[in-house]
Amino acid sequence: MKKIIIKSIISVFVIMLLVFGSTGFGIFAKATDSYVASGTAGEGIEWVIDEGGELTISGEGKIEVEWYSPPWEAYSETITSVVLAEGIVNIPDTAFCYCDNIKTFTIPSTVSEIEGLAFDNCSGVEEFIVSDDNETYKSVDGIVFTKDGKAIVVYPRRSERAEYTIPTGVEEIYGYSFESAINLRILNVHGGVKVIGDGCFENVGL
């Protein structure tokens, strides 16, 4: 009787190995193999680029990159979208420089700092998507504003708009906010705007 039970256990174990080997383990291997590249960008911050070109950055804390040399630099032409996971708190200068094929950029509720040169020479972004729960920033028509709507933080470089009117209530246009907005031809600025930051209109089609 004991021999029969032992044989049955062994048989079940073998079957499980076969099943997981062809399905579960296979799925895991496939998911892992689907990553084009991965690495770190600061303490506790990890990034991965999948086969579809989506760069996901996750962890708790600050993204850290070298000046004009982010860790995903070799894949700048591969990246078509960026998703920052909850827990990421900043977007540092030059983090996405020369990433000209990014279409959408998703910002979580935890980001409270976007530095002026974060998207320097990055002419691909068509839309920024900011979490409704973010207390520092918001997105309106794909543009990043401060939560109170008093400042434009960053404009999507590849927006198809040929003309844009600064909304009523905006008092400041942050430095480099329109930099490389290649399709923009006319910008209407009302009298309530008090500050226009440095480098706002570098490489703009105005």
Side-chain angles (χ1 to χ4, degrees):
M1 184 67 178
K2 287 183 179 179
K3 290 183 178 180
I4 294 174
I5 293 174
I6 292 171
K7 286 182 179 179
S8 298
I9 292 173
I10 292 172
S11 298
V12 170
F13 182 72
V14 170
I15 291 170
M16 288 176 68
L17 282 176
L18 290 172
V19 169
F20 279 105
S22 60
T23 57
F25 294 152
I27 291 172
F28 179 77
K30 185 177 181 181
T32 303
D33 292 342
S34 69
Y35 294 144
V36 172
S38 63
T40 60
E43 186 176 352
I45 306 299
E46 298 180 348
W47 61 272
V48 63
I49 302 173
D50 67 20
E51 287 184 337
E54 182 169 277
L55 168 61
T56 301
I57 305 175
S58 58
E60 300 284 336
K62 282 193 169 188
I63 297 172
E64 296 178 4
V65 300
E66 293 183 16
W67 190 248
Y68 284 100
S69 186
W72 42 82
E73 179 182 18
Y75 306 93
S76 58
E77 294 184 3
T78 302
I79 301 169
T80 57
S81 63
V82 177
V83 175
L84 304 185
E86 291 291 328
I88 300 298
V89 300
N90 73 319
I91 306 176
D93 279 338
T94 74
F96 300 98
C97 58
Y98 305 112
C99 292
D100 291 333
N101 294 319
I102 297 174
K103 305 303 180 188
T104 60
F105 197 104
T106 302
I107 300 172
S109 67
T110 47
V111 166
S112 59
E113 180 185 23
I114 300 175
E115 296 190 26
L117 291 173
F119 302 97
D120 191 33
N121 290 299
C122 173
S123 61
V125 182
E126 297 176 355
E127 180 184 22
F128 289 97
I129 303 165
V130 180
S131 167
D132 291 338
D133 296 326
N134 191 299
E135 296 181 355
T136 306
Y137 304 109
K138 65 179 180 180
S139 55
V140 180
D141 297 328
I143 305 165
V144 181
F145 292 78
T146 53
K147 194 70 171 185
D148 59 11
K150 292 184 177 181
I152 291 179
V153 179
V154 59
Y155 183 88
R157 286 25 179 166
R158 195 63 69 86
S159 169
E160 293 298 322
R161 301 181 192 91
E163 181 175 357
Y164 181 68
T165 298
I166 303 297
T168 302
V170 171
E171 299 178 357
E172 182 175 0
I173 302 173
Y174 279 12
Y176 302 97
S177 54
F178 284 87
E179 188 256 340
S180 295
I182 57 177
N183 294 318
L184 190 63
R185 296 290 180 267
I186 301 171
L187 182 67
N188 301 306
V189 183
H190 57 75
V193 173
K194 302 173 182 177
V195 179
I196 296 178
D198 292 339
C200 250
F201 306 115
E202 286 188 8
N203 302 319
V204 178
L206 290 172

